[in-house]
Amino acid sequence: MLPLICLDVDGTLVGSTGAPTEVLWAAAAEARERGQRLTLCTARLAAGPTREWAARLDPEGWHSFHTGAARWNPATDEVRTHALGAEVIDACTAIAGERGWVLETYSWDDYVVDSDDPLAARHAALLGLPAVRRPVSDLVDPVVRVQFVVPIAEAGVALAAAPPGCAASAATSPVMADAAFVSITLEGVSKAGGIAEIAADLGVGMDRVMMVGDGHNDLSAVQAVGWGVAMANAEPELIAAARLTVGHVDDDGAAEAIRRSADLG
């Protein structure tokens, strides 16, 4: 069996209902009983229901947030981050202002957005967090990621707007199908990098890791592991890169991937 299974959230763990199913939780429990480790691997922050899902998925494992810019272990409460500098935050603030985009600024477990735009309010609801305007100065811990929330037709423009020295990746959600979430992190930070750090901590080779995803920001991780898995609802480029394809998110494709991992490797 494969010792490490990594799962994206939106479009993979979570479909149109906005929460993982009991079928998924049962598959995860069976994997833990077999001795496998499970890792949440998401662009989301470690707060609200997302943090609860990580702890339930594997209470003793590492989980990767912010597209690899932060890791958290529920058992020890240890946090490891790759922080952004003030110049990147200022540059992204200026870009968002010029374009009329929503800009969200994140520490590892908190975020602020100084906007009343409907996209900002809808995203807060998706995250299960209050929709409250807050300045960047409200963040206590270092900033690990900023995010442009844009109409999906502007995703390509937002990806190209990343300041020098940064990496950009885009994600979508079935719950907000009209929007794109474009994350800006330090150059070199990615879901693939976050998984590699966790695999190294566990002493597991990347060839024995499974990554299950559906979007653009999952591509590097699917390509980096030995067992890249695409959901049936994944973007065409991800399906083309994956070693396996499983069912649609609303048909518990992620649970299928977890079950199949028991016989792989």
Side-chain angles (χ1 to χ4, degrees):
M1 65 184 179
L2 299 176
L4 178 60
I5 308 162
C6 305
L7 299 120
D8 171 52
V9 174
D10 294 289
T12 301
L13 200 72
V14 173
S16 58
T17 64
T21 68
E22 289 306 315
V23 172
L24 182 283
W25 292 130
E30 291 165 4
R32 292 196 306 272
E33 289 171 4
R34 291 190 294 263
Q36 293 173 289
R37 294 258 72 91
L38 296 103
T39 288
L40 200 70
C41 186
T42 180
R44 292 190 184 204
L45 75 163
T50 309
R51 183 166 173 162
E52 295 168 8
W53 297 336
R56 184 173 179 183
L57 188 67
D58 193 335
E60 298 181 355
W62 282 97
H63 300 283
S64 178
F65 300 89
H66 301 291
T67 317
R71 286 190 285 149
W72 172 61
N73 188 310
T76 64
D77 209 29
E78 184 179 356
V79 177
R80 301 178 187 176
T81 63
H82 300 280
L84 288 173
E87 68 283 357
V88 173
I89 301 167
D90 292 343
C92 289
T93 300
I95 291 166
E98 292 169 3
R99 297 280 186 173
W101 292 338
V102 172
L103 181 71
E104 299 172 339
T105 307
Y106 291 83
S107 65
W108 81 276
D109 67 344
D110 194 10
Y111 91 112
V112 297
V113 56
D114 197 5
S115 172
D116 291 322
D117 190 288
L119 283 178
R122 289 170 59 204
H123 190 215
L126 185 157
L127 294 171
L129 298 171
V132 180
R133 290 188 69 163
R134 299 169 61 199
V136 173
S137 58
D138 272 9
L139 293 177
V140 175
D141 293 319
V143 172
V144 298
R145 178 171 65 95
V146 295
Q147 178 166 269
F148 301 126
V149 184
V150 301
I152 197 160
E154 297 184 47
V157 177
L159 282 166
C166 295
S169 60
T172 57
S173 171
V175 183
M176 286 182 64
D178 59 333
F181 307 96
V182 178
S183 291
I184 308 297
T185 58
L186 282 180
E187 190 170 24
V189 170
S190 67
K191 286 193 175 184
I195 291 171
E197 290 172 343
I198 292 170
D201 284 345
L202 295 173
V204 173
M206 289 288 277
D207 61 322
R208 301 185 66 217
V209 176
M210 172 181 279
M211 170 63 191
V212 190
D214 73 300
H216 171 270
N217 68 346
D218 300 314
L219 184 59
S220 68
V222 163
Q223 292 172 326
V225 301
W227 294 88
V229 179
M231 302 292 287
N233 51 282
E235 296 179 12
E237 63 177 343
L238 196 77
I239 292 175
R243 189 166 181 175
L244 298 173
T245 300
V246 292
H248 191 281
V249 61
D250 289 332
D251 294 326
D252 288 307
E256 176 190 343
I258 293 172
R259 290 193 300 268
R260 291 180 69 175
S261 72
D263 300 316
L264 300 176

